[in-house]
């Protein structure tokens, strides 16, 4: 057991080693001041954040609608939807990136912001559906019925009886769609077009030419964003566990 | 009764997504793979099996073999490294194991490209005086680094269900460590190992960034080959045929994954 413990620490260290390097190289004033001076990089960063936020709002809303629609479907219908949802998650990502490229070219959709948004919604939707389906399945309909019996308006029912129960799922789905969209390289790489660049693609092209210290500062920022978003969803999760 | 059908239009976004963004693009890829292209790289709507014939060309066939070899060796390496780790975690109290898993997952919340960038720095350390950057060994190590959690988590959930008392019984009856593994642990966890293996194998077939960056793009793998066909040399029919092949391969493996997961869970 002692040997296994040492072994496990070594493997964990192997998995952490690149992160140590990123944090070590990025945690200094010079890297951060270079990052703040690099307007082009910051601009791309902001556009990527905007894309991720738009993706997560649309994806989560559509997934919520789908999750409610699934309640009234037959079990065969539900199985089909489940298969359709899982398929994009298990097939290699590159197949999707390329099929979007061919499809968007065929239907004459100009490659750029719109094609990026559509592609990002397309691949985050599966994950959002799974989270929201789980969330809708756990709704306590007694609370909604009680509100109805007590004569609440439709809006009040939604606002006070339904929405609070959905909120943890909505937060979890949003966080997931946001980080998937912000991190995605492969799908964006094929549908980005000429003018539009997302952050991972910018990093990719910098890696092929020249990497400056500001990239390492940026990775510290990105690391903090991901830790923060995971914390948010964890806190929400614990909150629901406590209340139920 | 009518209440049940009143909301059926809510399924519309899902149907739109599935047919317009998943199925449509895939059907177009299948269609394109049967077309030809003219000298300007434009796809010509003339039926032909050219692309599939081209795929059998030794030049391209080597790409497939190399990809399969890389995917298979990454899978075996991941399973081999992850199994003892997962076994150690499975014998820990639940809350301690959960902390370990969080510890393993944290690095994976950071952007993949940045992690690969830093992993290149790790490979540059040259502790044994050999450089690993831009070599196949370096690519394999990067694959191990990226796909290890894909193997670790399913292996952990399989091993976690193994009762410690079975192992103790074997130990008390005088079984050696090797015998315990071969005669007790392996038969129980075999299907979980297959499932974990497929979860590494399928995505690693389409890996693009690791061969492109860590391998320096020297050797073509399926991912880099596809990028080249679609963005550089504009042979879309040939690239489409390769995607059809990739998806078919993944789809034949998927039912096995589903059954193995079911077995592993019961």
């Amino acid at each position: 057991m002692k040997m296994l413990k040492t072994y496990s620490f070594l493997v964990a260290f192997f998995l952490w080693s690149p992160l140590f390097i990123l944090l070590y190289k990025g945690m200094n004033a010079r890297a951060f001041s270079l990052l703040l001076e690099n307007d082009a990089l910051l601009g791309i960063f902001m556009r990527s954040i905007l894309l991720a936020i738009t993706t997560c709002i649309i994806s989560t809303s559509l997934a919520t609608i789908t999750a409610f629609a699934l309640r009234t479907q037959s079990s065969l219908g539900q199985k089909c939807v489940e298969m359709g949802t899982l398929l994009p998650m298990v097939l290699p990502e590159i197949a999707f990136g390329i099929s979007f490229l061919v499809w968007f070219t065929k239907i004459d959709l100009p490659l750029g912001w719109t094609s990026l948004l559509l592609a990002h919604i397309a691949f985050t939707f599966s994950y959002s559906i799974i989270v929201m389906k789980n969330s809708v399945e756990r709704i306590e309909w007694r609370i909604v019925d009680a509100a109805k019996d007590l004569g609440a308006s439709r809006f009040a029912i939604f606002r006070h009886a339904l929405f609070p129960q959905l909120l943890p799922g909505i937060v979890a789905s949003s966080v997931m769609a946001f980080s998937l969209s912000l991190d995605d390289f492969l799908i964006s790489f094929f549908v980005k077009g000429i003018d539009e660049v997302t952050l991972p693609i910018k990093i990719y092209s910098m890696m092929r030419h020249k990497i400056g210290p500001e990239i390492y500062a940026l990775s510290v920022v990105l690391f903090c964003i991901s830790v923060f978003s995971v914390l948010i969803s964890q806190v929400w999760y614990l909150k629901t566990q406590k209340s139920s | 009764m009518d209440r049940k059908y009143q909301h059926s239009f809510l399924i519309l976004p899902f149907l739109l997504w599935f047919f317009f963004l998943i199925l449509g693009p895939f059907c177009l890829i299948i269609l394109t793979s049967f077309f030809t292209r003219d000298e300007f790289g434009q796809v010509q709507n003339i039926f032909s099996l050219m692309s599939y014939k081209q795929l059998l060309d030794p030049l391209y066939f080597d790409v497939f073999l190399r990809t399969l070899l890389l995917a298979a060796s990454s899978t075996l390496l991941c399973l081999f490294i992850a199994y003892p780790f997962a076994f150690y975690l499975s014998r820990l109290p639940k809350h301690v194991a959960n902390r370990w898993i969080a510890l393993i997952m944290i690095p994976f919340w950071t952007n993949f490209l940045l992690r690969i960038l830093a992993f290149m720095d790790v490979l540059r350390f040259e502790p044994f005086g050999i450089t690993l950057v831009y070599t196949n060994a370096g690519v394999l190590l990067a694959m191990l680094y990226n796909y290890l959690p894909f193997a670790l988590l399913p292996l952990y959930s399989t091993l976690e269900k193994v009762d410690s008392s079975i192992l103790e019984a074997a130990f008390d009856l005088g079984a050696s460590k090797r015998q315990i593994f071969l005669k007790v642990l392996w038969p129980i966890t075999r299907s979980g190992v297959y499932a974990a293996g497929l979860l590494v194998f399928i995505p690693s077939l389409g890996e693009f960034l690791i061969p492109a960056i860590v391998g320096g793009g020297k050797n073509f793998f399926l991912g880099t080959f596809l990028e080249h066909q679609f963005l550089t040399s504009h042979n879309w029919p040939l690239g489409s045929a390769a995607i059809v092949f990739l998806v078919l391969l993944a789809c034949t493996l998927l039912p096995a994954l589903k059954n193995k997961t079911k077995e592993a869970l019961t």
Side-chain angles (χ1 to χ4, degrees):
Chain A
M1 230 25 205
K2 188 111 195 176
M3 237 171 77
L4 271 177
K5 191 176 181 179
T6 325
Y7 172 81
S8 305
F9 268 109
L10 280 177
V11 176
F13 181 76
F14 171 68
L15 293 177
W16 268 83
S17 52
L19 206 66
F20 288 141
I21 291 181
L22 284 181
L23 294 178
Y24 171 74
K25 283 193 172 173
M27 293 269 224
N28 59 65
R30 191 173 150 259
F32 269 94
S33 63
L34 276 174
L35 176 66
L36 289 176
E37 281 165 20
N38 195 335
D39 286 337
L41 190 62
L42 285 178
I44 292 168
F45 180 48
M46 290 323 283
R47 279 187 80 81
S48 280
I49 296 253
L50 188 68
L51 177 68
I53 291 176
T54 321
T55 303
C56 94
I57 291 173
I58 299 180
S59 185
T60 302
S61 338
L62 293 182
T64 312
I65 295 173
T66 307
F68 274 106
L70 279 179
R71 287 186 61 240
T72 54
Q73 292 293 315
S74 60
S75 64
L76 179 72
Q78 288 202 6
K79 261 222 175 83
C80 290
V81 171
E82 195 184 324
M83 287 275 286
T85 322
L86 286 176
L87 204 63
M89 296 173 78
V90 286
L91 291 179
E93 217 185 333
I94 195 165
F96 286 94
I98 292 176
S99 64
F100 290 146
L101 167 71
V102 177
W103 179 248
F104 291 153
T105 314
K106 186 80 189 167
I107 60 174
D108 285 328
L109 184 86
L111 296 180
W113 170 261
T114 323
S115 66
L116 270 173
L117 182 63
L118 270 178
H120 279 217
I121 292 170
F123 84 90
T124 53
F125 193 51
S126 294
Y127 297 87
S128 291
I129 287 182
I130 287 173
V131 174
M132 288 319 296
K133 190 174 163 241
N134 202 345
S135 182
V136 166
E137 271 166 8
R138 279 184 313 182
I139 290 178
E140 288 272 7
W141 289 99
R142 286 177 306 171
I143 301 175
V144 180
D145 289 340
K148 234 179 248 171
D149 291 346
L150 292 170
S153 68
R154 287 190 103 164
F155 177 74
I157 293 175
F158 176 75
R159 172 72 190 80
H160 297 289
L162 209 52
F163 188 68
Q165 300 196 60
L166 281 176
L167 200 54
I170 290 176
V171 171
S173 154
S174 305
V175 167
M176 198 178 261
F178 178 83
S179 33
L180 280 172
S181 165
L182 192 63
D183 272 355
D184 176 72
F185 168 79
L186 210 46
I187 289 176
S188 316
F189 185 58
F190 286 102
V191 297
K192 67 179 187 342
I194 305 159
D195 305 322
E196 200 65 47
V197 175
T198 68
L199 189 62
I201 291 167
K202 178 68 186 167
I203 299 171
Y204 176 73
S205 66
M206 285 176 85
M207 280 171 85
R208 309 194 85 181
H209 303 291
K210 194 178 163 288
I211 286 283
E214 63 264 37
I215 278 293
Y216 293 101
L218 187 68
S219 53
V220 174
V221 175
L222 283 174
F223 178 69
C224 292
I225 291 180
S226 18
V227 170
F228 182 68
S229 48
V230 172
L231 278 181
I232 291 180
S233 54
Q234 285 296 316
V235 166
W236 271 107
Y237 179 72
L238 289 178
K239 227 176 166 180
T240 47
Q241 294 295 92
K242 241 178 240 166
S243 62
S244 64
Chain B
M1 188 65 192
D2 51 335
R3 201 173 166 264
K4 196 173 165 175
Y5 294 100
Q6 174 189 341
H7 296 302
S8 52
F9 68 90
L10 288 178
I11 199 74
L12 213 64
F14 175 83
L15 293 178
L16 263 176
W17 167 77
F18 187 69
F19 287 103
F20 181 71
L21 288 171
I22 304 294
L23 205 60
F26 258 125
C27 291
L28 188 63
I29 286 283
I30 297 175
L31 211 61
T32 310
S33 73
F34 288 109
F35 288 158
T36 51
R37 58 155 197 169
D38 60 19
E39 60 267 45
F40 309 110
Q42 291 294 320
V43 177
Q44 296 276 319
N45 298 359
I46 304 164
F47 178 84
S48 114
L49 285 172
M50 256 291 276
S51 310
Y52 288 94
K53 240 181 251 163
Q54 260 180 303
L55 276 187
L56 293 174
D57 192 284
L59 184 69
Y60 301 124
F61 201 71
D62 273 1
V63 174
F64 278 110
L65 283 185
R66 202 177 297 129
T67 307
L68 285 176
L69 193 69
L70 178 70
S73 45
S74 319
T75 307
L76 287 179
L77 193 62
C78 282
L79 290 175
F80 190 74
I81 301 281
Y83 197 94
F85 194 170
F87 179 73
Y88 172 70
L89 292 188
S90 72
R91 297 304 110 188
L92 291 173
K94 187 99 191 176
H95 66 278
V96 185
N98 281 341
R99 232 172 282 162
W100 267 92
I101 287 174
L103 186 76
I104 293 155
M105 292 316 291
I106 289 171
F108 288 81
W109 299 337
T110 316
N111 189 291
F112 178 57
L113 273 148
L114 293 168
R115 283 189 287 119
I116 287 296
L117 172 70
F119 193 77
M120 298 277 281
D121 285 339
V122 176
L123 289 180
R124 281 200 188 93
F125 270 139
E126 298 187 22
F128 310 111
I130 40 169
T131 178
L132 289 168
V133 191
Y134 307 132
T135 63
N136 284 338
V139 172
L140 189 62
L141 268 181
M143 294 289 280
L144 171 71
Y145 166 68
N146 188 42
Y147 287 102
L148 195 62
F150 288 69
L152 194 62
L153 295 182
L155 281 181
Y156 167 71
S157 61
T158 310
L159 279 160
E160 189 204 27
K161 291 183 199 80
V162 178
D163 198 336
S164 279
S165 55
I166 305 175
L167 304 177
E168 277 158 26
F171 187 73
D172 288 345
L173 291 169
S176 66
K177 274 183 182 161
R178 214 186 120 212
Q179 281 173 319
I180 293 181
F181 174 72
L182 284 177
K183 299 245 159 90
V184 183
L185 216 47
W186 176 249
I188 311 177
T189 55
R190 192 170 44 199
S191 44
V193 173
Y194 289 150
L198 284 175
L199 284 177
V200 177
F201 187 75
I202 295 177
S204 64
L205 284 173
E207 181 59 47
F208 165 73
L209 277 171
I210 291 175
I213 294 174
V214 182
K218 274 197 298 196
N219 282 331
F220 266 145
F221 290 91
L222 195 52
T224 39
F225 167 78
L226 286 173
E227 187 255 356
H228 189 78
Q229 294 309 322
F230 279 93
L231 298 182
T232 313
S233 72
H234 290 280
N235 194 344
W236 287 20
L238 179 64
S240 300
I243 292 186
V244 172
F245 173 80
L246 173 67
V247 170
L248 277 182
L249 186 64
C251 283
T252 47
L253 292 172
L254 281 181
L257 177 66
K258 207 174 170 195
N259 293 339
K260 295 295 175 200
T261 327
K262 236 178 235 163
E263 266 176 54
L265 289 178
T266 47

